[in-house]
Amino acid sequence: MLKKSFEIQDISESDGGEIKAYAATFDRIRDSYGDIIAQGAFSKTLKDWQKSGHPIPLLFGHRTDDPRMNIGSVVEASEDERGLLIKAQFDETSDVAQYT
């Protein structure tokens, strides 16, 4: 089984806590779903989200079936040469978010 590794570059605690990390990378290695993500894959979606004025949800394990798995929101998102870089704020009132 192939697994991706990562480095945690920035974690700070303010309110519920926040994290800055790559949500996806363009390294041409298949992810756990077999997908390979191309550079530019998120550009239209990021523009659409910005226009909507709604936050991008921070989900625990891609879980959309359980509202408790919405553990915060993405406050910044952009593509760079490596991938989709996000900064997210954890929900300070969520036990799941604080456990995570």
Side-chain angles (χ1 to χ4, degrees):
M1 171 185 281
L2 294 174
K3 293 185 179 184
K4 292 185 179 184
S5 64
F6 61 92
E7 295 176 20
I8 296 176
Q9 295 179 354
D10 181 31
I11 294 181
S12 61
E13 292 184 30
S14 62
D15 299 325
E18 62 183 37
I19 187 168
K20 184 176 180 182
Y22 282 94
T25 57
F26 308 134
D27 56 13
R28 299 294 186 186
I29 297 173
R30 293 185 186 279
D31 66 14
S32 60
Y33 296 97
D35 296 330
I36 297 175
I37 302 168
Q39 193 166 8
F42 301 102
S43 59
K44 181 182 180 317
T45 303
L46 289 174
K47 288 177 189 174
D48 291 346
W49 272 107
Q50 189 174 26
K51 286 180 189 176
S52 79
H54 300 292
I56 299 172
L58 180 64
L59 300 174
F60 183 88
H62 296 259
R63 296 278 308 271
T64 59
D65 62 319
D66 184 344
R68 294 174 304 134
M69 298 299 114
N70 185 339
I71 60 172
S73 61
V74 176
V75 295
E76 294 176 18
S78 62
E79 279 192 29
D80 64 15
E81 67 283 343
R82 184 171 179 204
L84 177 62
L85 182 61
I86 65 163
K87 180 178 177 183
Q89 181 74 40
F90 288 103
D91 180 352
E92 65 187 77
T93 65
S94 164
D95 291 341
V96 176
Q98 293 306 297
Y99 176 78
T100 303

